[in-house]
């Protein structure tokens, strides 16, 4: 369709549905946190071969148990999210989505009850298209209302709507329609749209003002996988396009650089810190996709770092930006509430030794508090310096790693 006609069509659609139809669920005032199956467990459906790792109600119940037992829930990780490959291959006699009966013998509503009994929330996955990316039941325009109502009947708390097997026009109608349908259920359901990721993530194809009115969070870019290369590519893409992305985020509406893969096989401890630091600077949703039953103490320590979570969840809700970059180094800065800041020194070199840096606040425009600032190293969990405009702090950053500072004024 010609671009002008498409824009006209979307404007007309929005005029017809009116402003009261915009998503208004009061959710995600800070970036949502939880656990999601996809990156770690993919579309594993053979429960005979993989009894502990297949996409089944047992897996989600086990993760819910761990979220509570191991203190995750108390730190804010509250969503337990089903991703692709949960459904049967056909709808029920009433045209409703249904779960695979062997792997979810008690159905999604019972699973939601279990998750809620633990004080957690349940997320589910759908796809705007004739089938999901994994080939399971999709949501076509004519089933959007029925699917939204089914999710609400099941007492689901979040819907991630993927976009495989759809075209741009279908997405421009379907994503707003699902937003409206979820709103109309009367249940507060967090809405994650993969819409921008299917339109190359950038204006003019993506209208972030509109997306922010319709969705609570949205995937902008490619899927993550279990590798440092992919983490680095995502970091670079978010830095390269920050002028378009940064203003889109705020309380209730977040860019989503994709899942946290810390605790899996692909990242070293240093690289894990880098993912977490930049995701916190980006005010990203913190959805872990790992195995909470076998996660190492080291990975758990990183993911449970309270100051890191505090930065990610900061009430101002302002996404940070990359303020310096050379071939092997990036400096990221996020303005936080109460005159606080976070700074991430990212060493992207993968050769050689730790590189040394000097922190001086004035050149970074951190100078409003003339009495000075306390500087905390987030991963070392200690106060490392007190700086006024006359002082500097020197430190080193390992290759493919980061030093993340939390900066608090003493004023
Ligand atoms: C992708 C999506 C992933 C995952 C997968 C499931 O398109 O970006 O996050 O949901 O589909 O098949």
């Amino acid at each position: 369709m010609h671009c002008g006609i498409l824009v006209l069509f979307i404007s007309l659609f929005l005029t017809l549905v009116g402003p009261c139809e915009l998503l208004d669920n009061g959710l995600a005032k800070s970036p949502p946190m939880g656990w999601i199956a996809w990156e770690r467990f993919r579309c594993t459906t053979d429960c005979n071969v993989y009894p502990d790792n297949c996409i089944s109600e047992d897996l989600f119940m086990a993760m819910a148990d761990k979220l509570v037992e191991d203190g995750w829930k108390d730190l804010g990780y509250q969503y337990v999210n089903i991703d692709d490959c949960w459904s049967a291959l056909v709808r029920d006699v009433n045209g409703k989505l249904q779960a695979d009966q062997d792997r979810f013998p008690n159905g999604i509503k019972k699973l939601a009850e279990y998750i809620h009994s633990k004080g957690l929330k349940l997320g589910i996955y759908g796809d705007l298209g004739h089938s999901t990316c994994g080939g399971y039941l999709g949501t076509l325009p004519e089933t959007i209302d029925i699917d939204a109502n089914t999710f609400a009947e099941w007492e689901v708390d979040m819907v991630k709507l993927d976009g495989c097997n759809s075209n741009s026009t279908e997405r421009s109608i379907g994503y707003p329609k699902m937003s409206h349908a979820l709103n109309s259920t009367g249940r507060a359901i967090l809405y994650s749209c993969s819409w921008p990721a299917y339109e190359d993530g950038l204006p003019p194809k993506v209208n972030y003002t509109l997306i922010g009115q319709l969705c609570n969070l949205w995937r902008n870019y490619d899927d993550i996988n279990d590798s440092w290369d992919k983490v680095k590519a995502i970091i670079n893409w978010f830095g390269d396009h920050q002028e378009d992305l940064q203003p889109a985020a705020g309380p209730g509406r977040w860019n989503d650089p994709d899942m946290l893969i810390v605790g899996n096989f692909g990242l070293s401890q240093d690289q894990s810190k880098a993912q977490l630091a930049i995701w916190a600077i980006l005010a990203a949703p913190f959805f872990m996709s790992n195995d909470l039953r076998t996660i190492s103490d080291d990975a758990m320590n990183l993911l449970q770092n309270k100051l890191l979570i505090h930065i990610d969840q900061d009430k101002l809700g302002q996404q940070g930006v990359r303020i310096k970059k050379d071939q092997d180094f990036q400096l990221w800065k996020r303005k936080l509430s109460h005159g606080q800041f976070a700074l991430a020194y990212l060493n992207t070199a993968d050769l050689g030794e730790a590189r040394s840096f000097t922190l001086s606040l004035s050149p970074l425009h951190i100078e409003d508090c003339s009495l000075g600032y306390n500087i905390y190293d987030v991963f070392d969990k200690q106060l490392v310096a007190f700086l006024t405009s006359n002082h500097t702090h020197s430190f080193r950053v390992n290759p493919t790693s980061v030093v993340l500072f939390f900066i608090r004024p003493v004023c």
Side-chain angles (χ1 to χ4, degrees):
M1 190 187 288
H2 184 274
C3 191
I5 300 178
L6 186 61
V7 169
L8 189 70
F9 187 83
I10 296 171
S11 317
L12 183 66
F13 177 80
L14 285 172
T15 315
L16 289 177
V17 296
C20 62
E21 308 291 352
L22 299 176
L23 187 66
D24 179 26
N25 57 21
L27 298 173
K29 291 300 177 208
S30 61
M33 299 173 66
W35 181 91
I36 185 164
W38 180 253
E39 203 292 315
R40 178 64 185 253
F41 294 97
R42 316 298 289 198
C43 197
T44 306
T45 51
D46 190 337
C47 297
N48 293 320
V49 180
Y50 300 101
D52 297 330
N53 292 353
C54 64
I55 302 303
S56 65
E57 60 186 31
D58 291 347
L59 181 71
F60 296 97
M61 288 161 72
M63 292 306 156
D65 293 347
K66 294 306 279 179
L67 283 172
V68 175
E69 281 163 22
D70 293 339
W72 301 98
K73 182 187 117 181
D74 293 340
L75 290 162
Y77 293 96
Q78 56 169 343
Y79 287 90
V80 180
N81 282 18
I82 303 170
D83 206 273
D84 203 351
C85 311
W86 63 270
S87 76
L89 293 172
V90 288
R91 288 175 177 260
D92 74 8
V93 286
N94 300 312
K96 290 182 172 181
L97 291 168
Q98 55 181 343
D100 179 280
Q101 280 175 4
D102 293 331
R103 292 180 286 118
F104 295 83
N106 296 297
I108 303 295
K109 190 166 168 51
K110 273 271 178 278
L111 179 57
E113 273 169 30
Y114 184 82
I115 301 287
H116 293 156
S117 76
K118 299 263 158 186
L120 298 165
K121 295 178 184 297
L122 180 68
I124 204 162
Y125 167 98
D127 184 285
L128 193 67
H130 56 77
S131 58
T132 70
C133 305
Y136 286 77
L137 286 173
T139 297
L140 291 167
E142 56 272 24
T143 62
I144 287 177
D145 287 324
I146 182 171
D147 293 355
N149 285 327
T150 305
F151 295 145
E153 273 164 32
W154 288 345
E155 301 195 12
V156 159
D157 306 289
M158 171 168 174
V159 171
K160 166 178 169 181
L161 191 63
D162 212 342
C164 271
N165 305 309
S166 62
N167 64 35
S168 264
T169 310
E170 288 159 350
R171 289 190 287 274
S172 71
I173 297 167
Y175 278 101
K177 191 171 178 197
M178 179 59 94
S179 178
H180 168 52
L182 290 173
N183 233 5
S184 305
T185 65
R187 183 174 176 80
I189 299 178
L190 195 67
Y191 182 34
S192 165
C193 303
S194 302
W195 189 8
Y198 285 86
E199 309 292 349
D200 304 326
L202 296 172
K205 280 173 86 182
V206 178
N207 175 348
Y208 277 114
T209 310
L210 174 63
I211 305 251
Q213 291 167 339
L214 297 172
C215 313
N216 295 114
L217 63 154
W218 47 81
R219 285 280 311 286
N220 313 70
Y221 183 61
D222 292 354
D223 286 9
I224 201 161
N225 62 27
D226 197 2
S227 76
W228 171 242
D229 278 353
K230 204 65 207 232
V231 169
K232 208 165 55 174
I234 293 173
I235 291 172
N236 285 334
W237 190 85
F238 273 77
D240 290 348
H241 302 292
Q242 59 192 9
E243 283 78 15
D244 293 317
L245 304 175
Q246 195 266 353
R253 49 189 173 89
W254 308 103
N255 292 303
D256 179 6
D258 212 0
M259 295 160 255
L260 297 174
I261 55 165
V262 174
N264 294 326
F265 309 100
L267 299 188
S268 68
Q269 185 76 353
D270 270 310
Q271 293 162 350
S272 301
K273 290 179 187 171
Q275 186 189 23
L276 291 169
I278 303 301
W279 263 237
I281 293 274
L282 288 172
F286 264 21
F287 282 106
M288 309 178 276
S289 189
N290 50 19
D291 190 341
L292 299 176
R293 299 164 300 189
T294 57
I295 191 169
S296 69
D297 290 347
D298 282 348
M300 191 159 159
N301 258 320
L302 295 181
L303 286 158
Q304 295 202 346
N305 183 304
K306 286 190 179 152
L307 202 43
L308 171 83
I309 294 171
H310 179 77
I311 293 170
D312 181 63
Q313 298 287 299
D314 180 76
K315 293 285 169 286
L316 198 57
Q318 193 176 106
Q319 180 172 322
V321 287
R322 190 173 65 193
I323 57 173
K324 278 189 196 163
K325 179 178 188 273
D326 70 25
Q327 206 192 330
D328 291 329
F329 158 70
Q330 303 184 12
L331 174 55
W332 289 74
K333 176 183 174 190
R334 179 171 171 195
K335 182 173 191 272
L336 305 171
S337 53
H338 307 300
Q340 303 168 132
F341 292 89
L343 280 182
Y345 285 77
L346 177 69
N347 179 2
T348 51
D350 44 19
L351 295 172
E353 287 188 310
R355 179 166 161 185
S356 99
F357 294 91
T358 300
L359 167 60
S360 164
L361 294 180
S362 302
L364 303 177
H365 307 292
I366 301 177
E367 51 198 348
D368 284 355
C369 172
S370 55
L371 296 179
Y373 291 82
N374 281 323
I375 314 294
Y376 299 85
D377 182 316
V378 173
F379 292 116
D380 280 356
K381 299 184 181 167
Q382 54 179 317
L383 179 68
V384 289
F386 168 74
L387 297 185
T388 66
S389 53
N390 304 322
H391 301 104
T392 58
H393 171 63
S394 295
F395 58 96
R396 288 176 177 220
V397 189
N398 290 345
T400 67
S401 194
V402 76
V403 168
L404 177 64
F405 293 122
F406 175 67
I407 300 182
R408 174 175 275 162
V410 297
C411 294

